[in-house]
Amino acid sequence: MIITVKAFASVSEICGFRERSADVPEGTSAGAFLDSLVREFPGLAPLRERLLAAVNEEHVPLERLLSEGDTVAYFPPVSGG
C-alpha cells in the first residue's frame, strides 16, 4: 500500500527529505515504519525513542496501523516557552 511520509525539523535534516511516498505492507504500524527509516538513515537512531508521530494530522501512538493513502509524519518533541 502507498503512504506519504513527511519529515520535520531534525528528522528532515537527517533523512534529506521533507516528503516522499513509500510502499509498505498492510499491517505496518507507524513505529514499524519508523524503524525502517532508522535502518535506512542510521542517524535517526539516537532520536528514535523521542520522536512523535502523526497520521493524517492527528497525533498517534507508534502502535497505530497505517492504511492505504495515509500521511504519516515524524518529528521531535517541541519545547520552548
Side-chain angles (χ1 to χ4, degrees), residues 42-55:
L44 286 177
L47 302 176
R48 169 62 175 90
E49 297 306 315
R50 297 187 332 228
L51 293 179
L52 303 173
V55 175

Side-chain angles (χ1 to χ4, degrees), residues 6-18 44 47 51 73-79:
K6 292 186 176 188
F8 293 93
S10 56
V11 178
S12 176
E13 293 169 15
I14 292 167
C15 295
F17 69 85
R18 289 193 43 118
L44 286 177
L47 302 176
L51 293 179
Y74 297 103
F75 49 93
V78 178
S79 63

Side-chain angles (χ1 to χ4, degrees), residues 22-72:
D23 190 359
V24 300
E26 284 202 35
T28 299
S29 68
F33 186 73
L34 177 55
D35 291 339
S36 74
L37 286 178
V38 170
R39 286 190 297 278
E40 185 176 353
F41 303 101
L44 286 177
L47 302 176
R48 169 62 175 90
E49 297 306 315
R50 297 187 332 228
L51 293 179
L52 303 173
V55 175
N56 303 326
E57 299 184 13
E58 178 182 333
H59 291 268
V60 297
L62 292 174
E63 296 79 22
R64 165 75 151 59
L65 295 181
L66 301 175
S67 298
E68 174 76 31
D70 277 350
T71 297
V72 61

